[in-house]
Amino acid sequence: MLRIAVFVSGRGSNLKAILNHPELSNLIKIVAVFSDKTECGAFDIARSYSIETHVIGKGENKIDQSDLLKVLKNYNLNLIVLAGYLKLIPIDVVKYFENRIINIHPALLPSFGGKGMYGMKVHDAVFNSSAKVSGATVHFVDAEYDKGKIIAQRCVDISDVSSPEDIAERVLKIEHQLLPEVIKAFAENRVKIVDNRVVIKT
Ligand code: GRF
């Protein structure tokens, strides 16, 4: 069983897609969900599956960033999944979990990524660029926003959309397929780094 922590900031539809994926139930266990928000939709989903939740931040009942690595180590994790998490991961955590933290981004990196590019801001930028395709990217997390090596991408045709919301809807569907597929590949030990590129073995 691959032991996973999921980091979230919002409604948690990607968390739900992982939890509901029929091929993952025997391969992974989500042992904890972390958020920078005190409350969010993703926490409700986690609780409904009896998964432990933690708030990262300053104050009572919160985990300070400087204590995060210690808490994560206690969970004996194999993988950390950022699913709509809006904050940077502290550098000590990035280093300790090198090549074991992944993020889903709702566009085709390296375009439309980086600091401040999250949520509808991404889809607005894609819409205004008049791009004809968008998609989802799963990548390794390093010390910078959206910069780590790309693990998997999937495109969607947006040539006929009439709003950024249309793009968001199409991309989200792809996200819900791609992220569980990549997690499955990790669980089956099929994600390899070969000649400086990330390869998913079939
Ligand atoms: C997704 O589009 C994800 O790619 C982005 O934030 C959104 C989170 O959605 N980083 P949800 O909370 O999983 O519904």
Side-chain angles (χ1 to χ4, degrees), residues 179-200:
L179 187 55
E181 280 177 33
V182 171
I183 292 171
K184 183 166 185 272
F186 270 96
E188 293 170 343
N189 203 19
R190 289 187 287 111
V191 181
K192 307 285 178 196
I193 298 177
V194 182
D195 294 335
N196 218 21
R197 289 177 64 83
V198 187
V199 178
I200 298 182

Side-chain angles (χ1 to χ4, degrees), residues 8-10 35-40 43 54-56 86-87:
V8 294
S9 298
S35 181
D36 56 314
K37 306 276 188 262
T38 315
E39 273 310 325
C40 57
F43 267 178
H54 297 283
V55 182
I56 303 164
L86 297 180
K87 288 272 161 66

